[in-house]
Amino acid sequence: MRGGKFTPAPQDKERINEKIPHSEVRLILDDGTQHGVCSMTEARALADQAGLDLVEIAPTAKPPVCRVMDYSKFKFEKNKKDREARKKQRANQVDTKEVKFRPKIEEHDYEVKMKNVKKFLSAGDKVKVVLRYRGREMMFQEMGLQLLNRIKDDIEGLGTVDKKPEMQGRQQIMMVSPVNTAGN
């Protein structure tokens, strides 16, 4: 991997060693000091002497800027930073969880589903409460509305209703946000 032997993967954006097409470059040594403008042969010789790779870091500059560094270590550090950035981005996202109810739900089933709704809200996720009607249950929409009002009362303090219950085909949908992110 050292001394000009590293070949980059096809998705790598940086050109290294023999892949750099320029005749002269501005060179930065591995300790961070400026070497100045030099020919490509001199730059490659310095990289080989140090046992490291020559990496093009600013291809649009006049002349282009290259650096003597361990390319595999550079890629590892870059991937590590990218992973950390994705983790932080993921932590800031709010997921929408869906919990399905039926109009004639038994008490224990209701309690289990409400436990999940409360768990999702306390974790900071939005909850989409779906009340599904099957067959002749469509005649009992007022029973479904009472159930949705009961859910709204039971989550008091944990969440607020973003979207009032509305019919979409054979289901009634209500969106609930956690209290700390309501309105965002």
Side-chain angles (χ1 to χ4, degrees), residues 2-140:
R2 297 187 184 264
K5 305 283 190 275
F6 188 86
T7 53
Q11 72 271 14
D12 290 344
K13 293 179 181 125
E14 300 87 13
R15 291 185 279 199
I16 66 167
N17 301 326
E18 287 80 30
K19 304 276 188 203
I20 302 172
H22 310 291
S23 57
E24 68 176 18
V25 294
R26 181 175 306 279
L27 185 64
I28 301 172
L29 298 175
D30 58 329
D31 60 359
T33 59
Q34 296 270 345
H35 182 72
V37 178
C38 63
S39 68
M40 273 304 293
T41 54
E42 183 184 348
R44 282 193 196 121
L46 285 169
D48 287 342
Q49 184 180 5
L52 299 171
D53 299 303
L54 184 64
V55 182
E56 182 182 46
I57 55 174
T60 57
K62 299 287 183 213
V65 180
C66 291
R67 184 175 186 147
V68 176
M69 67 171 77
D70 183 0
Y71 187 69
S72 56
K73 183 178 178 184
F74 168 73
K75 287 298 289 181
F76 175 77
E77 294 293 329
K78 186 176 176 187
N79 288 339
K80 191 174 173 184
K81 285 179 189 173
D82 290 347
R83 278 194 305 274
E84 288 298 319
R86 281 194 300 271
K87 271 188 197 175
K88 288 177 184 172
Q89 183 180 14
R90 176 76 178 128
N92 295 335
Q93 283 182 332
V94 176
D95 285 341
T96 301
K97 306 290 186 175
E98 185 173 308
V99 181
K100 295 181 180 178
F101 289 86
R102 297 279 305 279
K104 294 182 179 180
I105 191 169
E106 293 294 325
E107 187 59 32
H108 177 66
D109 295 335
Y110 175 81
E111 290 171 7
V112 169
K113 289 179 185 275
M114 281 309 295
K115 188 170 116 180
N116 285 332
V117 169
K118 290 176 182 177
K119 179 177 72 172
F120 295 147
L121 288 173
S122 52
D125 297 327
K126 288 186 175 191
V127 179
K128 179 180 182 180
V129 178
V130 178
L131 184 63
R132 299 193 74 186
Y133 296 99
R134 291 168 127 182
R136 294 183 182 170
E137 289 178 347
M138 285 297 287
M139 298 187 318
F140 301 108

Side-chain angles (χ1 to χ4, degrees), residues 126-176:
K126 288 186 175 191
V127 179
K128 179 180 182 180
V129 178
V130 178
L131 184 63
R132 299 193 74 186
Y133 296 99
R134 291 168 127 182
R136 294 183 182 170
E137 289 178 347
M138 285 297 287
M139 298 187 318
F140 301 108
Q141 288 184 21
E142 67 280 345
M143 186 186 292
L145 201 55
Q146 290 172 358
L147 179 65
L148 290 173
N149 286 331
R150 179 178 172 195
I151 293 169
K152 186 172 75 171
D153 293 340
D154 286 349
I155 61 164
E156 194 71 36
L158 279 175
T160 58
V161 176
D162 280 354
K163 190 171 145 190
K164 301 275 187 224
E166 69 176 37
M167 286 298 292
Q168 291 182 357
R170 290 188 153 271
Q171 52 190 20
Q172 224 167 3
I173 296 173
M174 176 173 73
M175 292 296 292
V176 182

